[in-house]
Amino acid sequence: MIKTLTPEQQAQLPLYAEKWIKIGLSTAPADRETAEEGIRMAYRVVQLAPPHIVWGASPIALLKQIRERTQQEQGKNVRNTV
């Protein structure tokens, strides 16, 4: 485990911070295939079943999509029990 950084490594910290802040604030489209594989890989490492991944155009659009899907499923359940 690394406990200290060299002066050269410390000098690089602002560059790495800038890089990752830029990535974190990016509004560019996601590389969905790579993201999904990373998620599945993380679940495999901890020996969990992979989640069902749902993508949306925006957080609000995703909430609407999930709400509509839930309402459709509820409607199917009601029709199946009548």
Side-chain angles (χ1 to χ4, degrees):
M1 177 188 299
I2 297 173
K3 295 189 179 190
T4 61
L5 299 175
T6 67
E8 294 81 15
Q9 291 169 323
Q10 289 178 356
Q12 294 294 316
L13 287 177
L15 297 174
Y16 282 103
E18 183 180 332
K19 172 186 174 180
W20 287 104
I21 289 170
K22 184 177 178 181
I23 289 170
L25 295 175
S26 173
T27 58
D31 178 347
R32 292 178 178 190
E33 187 176 320
T34 300
E36 289 181 14
E37 181 51 35
I39 292 166
R40 286 190 289 272
M41 187 184 313
Y43 273 72
R44 279 194 302 269
V45 167
V46 294
Q47 299 177 346
L48 293 174
H52 176 74
I53 300 169
V54 179
W55 290 95
S58 70
I60 291 174
L62 183 58
L63 287 174
K64 288 179 182 178
Q65 179 181 335
I66 291 171
R67 183 177 55 193
E68 288 171 5
R69 185 175 294 162
T70 301
Q71 289 171 343
Q72 289 171 355
E73 288 300 316
Q74 289 173 344
K76 286 180 189 175
N77 291 339
V78 169
R79 285 189 294 273
N80 289 337
T81 59
V82 175

